[in-house]
Amino acid sequence: MEDMIFYDRLQFAFTITFHYIFPQLTMGLSLIIVYFKGKYLIKKIEKYNDIAKFLMKIFAINFTMGVITGIPMEFQFGTNWAKFSELTGSIIGQTLAMEGMFSFFLESSFLALFIFGEKLMGQKLHFLTGFLVFLGSWGSGWFILATNAWMQHPVGYEILDNGKFVLENFSSLFSNPWLLPAFLHNQFASVVTSSFVVASIGAFYILRNKNLEYGKLLLKTGVVFGLVSSILLAFPTGDWNAKNVAKYQPASFAAMEGIFETEEAGAEIVLIGQPNMVEKKLDNKIAVPNILSFLTYQKWDKQIPGMDQFKQEELPDNIPALYYSYHIMVGLGTIFIGIMGSAVFFLWRRKLFNMKPLLWFIMFLVPFPYIANITGWYVAELGRQPYLVYGLLKTSEGISPTVSSGNTLFTLLGFVAIYLLLGLLFLILVGKTIHQGPKPQTH
């Protein structure tokens, strides 16, 4: 049984990690595309329109890869997690169906119109199609997060005698107190990723002395969007999410913060430390006293329950992974604010375009927002363990009993091979698009 659970979780973790490389860019990039298209409508300067169409090509490649890698996850609900689907399908099936019927088709339909229909529709309708692509991509995020929010903090449900969950109040799915902060945090995180991608393309053009006019505009826009979104990612959305975890999942909060023992006079915030699961402590710890209590409750001496206050079965089953994922996410987010803040400062001083070390740094920093996004999702999912539906349905109760661990491992190896090829194809296509650059409008 433990092997089955391990391989089922490993396969889903691998497929969803690879899949989320693509939506986190499309959601944020759609907003930046709408910005450039809107600027073109206002200022009638062609370079804004050229960049909007150029970025939509990158969006389209990511969208296609997202669709391809998203389909296997839907099937895994039926193959590896059949019992979970059987018990909760009447609830999570509704939000997942709405994501497909409303948001996905809205996004895909108007994506084609944006790419191919500019001359036919005119500029105002072309802007509208871009806005609807943005609306569809963020709508997808909303419905997916509504599903996850119910799993993190179940509301509006009833459990029947046969163990199935049914929805008592449909509106409660979207008024869930977990949903809005999680959605906003997730969307601003996607904007951070997109901002770094846009800024890095601009830095690349400037360093190569190619497409300089476009490069400067891409870099300028990327660092401004990056600074604003990085700040909003930390506060208020990150703060709001952390307070939700402290309120609704206190055992997870203690684990991700590394609080092994309850401190009577306020909890410290840990900057560095390694969880020692044998001695139940943090090794080589560097911490600031009472700060965590103040950040969480605005009271310096407020007690925060440590892991010693919970039964072993109530704690997450991989505390080191949760702890490290959380601290990697927070650490990278802090670095992003510093880097983008420095870039905006030098932009204001009119020195940014000539600062080659900083441009190189921005360009090679591109993978790290992806890492921060993915570790952020690891925090959410590892923190919910050992439950699929927090406090109600354990992970061990949701797997498919007829699918052996050998079958799951075999298909996992197949996914690894196929996704490696897809990843190489994606890099080739995006690299070729960036190499070609924005194309000036021809009349």
Side-chain angles (χ1 to χ4, degrees):
M1 176 64 75
E2 290 183 1
D3 283 347
M4 290 173 64
I5 296 170
F6 172 75
Y7 286 119
D8 285 340
R9 290 179 64 185
L10 182 63
Q11 185 183 85
F12 198 84
F14 172 76
T15 54
I16 201 167
T17 297
F18 191 86
H19 167 73
Y20 197 63
I21 291 172
F22 308 109
Q24 66 172 287
L25 181 63
T26 56
M27 289 186 293
L29 198 59
S30 63
L31 177 63
I32 297 175
I33 290 169
V34 169
Y35 164 78
F36 276 116
K37 189 66 188 182
K39 288 277 285 187
Y40 171 66
L41 282 180
I42 295 170
K43 294 195 171 184
K44 305 299 181 185
I45 299 175
E46 290 291 344
K47 63 182 178 181
Y48 291 111
N49 195 39
D50 297 338
I51 290 178
K53 292 187 290 184
F54 164 70
L55 293 178
M56 190 60 88
K57 293 178 183 178
I58 297 175
F59 179 101
I61 296 169
N62 275 265
F63 177 79
T64 303
M65 290 294 179
V67 172
I68 294 170
T69 56
I71 292 172
M73 292 191 304
E74 299 287 344
F75 283 104
Q76 284 179 68
F77 282 115
T79 55
N80 300 11
W81 302 96
K83 197 63 179 178
F84 169 65
S85 300
E86 177 189 350
L87 296 177
T88 65
S90 64
I91 296 179
I92 67 169
Q94 297 191 47
T95 46
L96 291 175
M98 284 188 282
E99 188 272 336
M101 291 298 297
F102 302 143
S103 300
F104 172 75
F105 284 112
L106 178 70
E107 188 178 4
S108 57
S109 300
F110 287 98
L111 171 61
L113 287 173
F114 188 94
I115 293 175
F116 301 110
E118 180 184 16
K119 293 181 179 179
L120 180 65
M121 293 183 298
Q123 295 304 327
K124 290 183 179 179
L125 286 177
H126 194 237
F127 169 80
L128 180 61
T129 61
F131 178 78
L132 291 172
V133 169
F134 158 74
L135 192 65
S137 66
W138 281 51
S140 289
W142 173 258
F143 288 121
I144 296 297
L145 265 294
T147 305
N148 187 263
W150 185 83
M151 294 168 66
Q152 299 282 357
H153 178 60
V155 293
Y157 66 91
E158 178 186 355
I159 303 178
L160 302 180
D161 293 337
N162 59 7
K164 291 186 177 181
F165 293 75
V166 294
L167 197 60
E168 279 192 324
N169 184 354
F170 179 77
S171 64
S172 64
L173 281 175
F174 303 106
S175 59
N176 189 336
W178 195 280
L179 174 55
L180 184 59
F183 171 74
L184 292 175
H185 190 63
N186 185 76
Q187 300 310 102
F188 284 125
S190 72
V191 176
V192 170
T193 298
S194 303
S195 300
F196 270 90
V197 170
V198 169
S200 70
I201 295 172
F204 173 71
Y205 288 152
I206 293 171
L207 289 169
R208 289 197 63 191
N209 199 29
K210 173 186 176 182
N211 297 324
L212 278 178
E213 189 176 359
Y214 293 122
K216 290 178 179 180
L217 187 53
L218 286 164
L219 179 61
K220 173 184 175 181
T221 304
V223 297
V224 172
F225 268 83
L227 176 60
V228 173
S229 57
S230 295
I231 293 172
L232 293 174
L233 190 62
F235 185 86
T237 65
D239 176 68
W240 196 0
N241 269 277
K243 288 176 178 176
N244 260 354
V245 177
K247 181 177 182 180
Y248 299 114
Q249 297 182 4
S252 303
F253 187 76
M256 74 186 200
E257 294 286 359
I259 308 172
F260 282 93
E261 295 183 1
T262 305
E263 300 174 38
E264 298 296 331
E268 61 190 10
I269 191 166
V270 177
L271 303 179
I272 297 175
Q274 300 85 46
N276 183 332
M277 299 308 298
V278 176
E279 300 181 19
K280 306 295 183 185
K281 67 174 186 177
L282 288 176
D283 293 334
N284 308 310
K285 180 174 66 174
I286 299 176
V288 182
N290 299 89
I291 294 294
L292 185 61
S293 292
F294 179 77
L295 291 175
T296 308
Y297 296 106
Q298 287 71 58
K299 294 180 180 179
W300 294 102
D301 58 352
K302 177 71 175 179
Q303 184 183 99
I304 294 179
M307 285 180 271
D308 59 340
Q309 299 295 307
F310 303 95
K311 298 177 182 178
Q312 184 63 38
E313 58 267 24
E314 295 175 323
L315 293 171
D317 54 17
N318 195 334
I319 291 169
L322 173 59
Y323 170 87
Y324 285 122
S325 295
Y326 175 70
H327 283 80
I328 289 170
M329 176 191 69
V330 172
L332 287 176
T334 305
I335 292 171
F336 297 157
I337 293 174
I339 294 300
M340 288 305 191
S342 299
V344 169
F345 172 76
F346 288 116
L347 177 67
W348 173 64
R349 295 293 303 272
R350 302 181 185 276
K351 296 180 178 179
L352 178 61
F353 302 140
N354 297 317
M355 298 191 66
K356 288 189 176 182
L358 183 56
L359 297 183
W360 279 103
F361 196 60
I362 290 172
M363 190 170 66
F364 284 111
L365 209 61
V366 167
F368 290 93
Y370 286 94
I371 295 171
N373 266 273
I374 290 168
T375 52
W377 269 106
Y378 285 174
V379 171
E381 298 307 293
L382 291 168
R384 194 185 63 239
Q385 297 301 318
Y387 297 100
L388 285 171
V389 181
Y390 191 77
L392 299 172
L393 180 66
K394 289 202 168 184
T395 304
S396 58
E397 299 168 342
I399 63 172
S400 303
T402 58
V403 180
S404 70
S405 57
N407 288 335
T408 306
L409 177 58
F410 177 76
T411 53
L412 172 59
L413 294 174
F415 278 126
V416 171
I418 293 170
Y419 282 9
L420 177 61
L421 294 175
L422 284 175
L424 291 173
L425 177 62
F426 168 76
L427 292 175
I428 291 169
L429 292 173
V430 171
K432 184 177 180 180
T433 303
I434 293 172
H435 179 74
Q436 292 174 344
K439 295 182 179 179
Q441 180 73 33
T442 56
H443 297 281

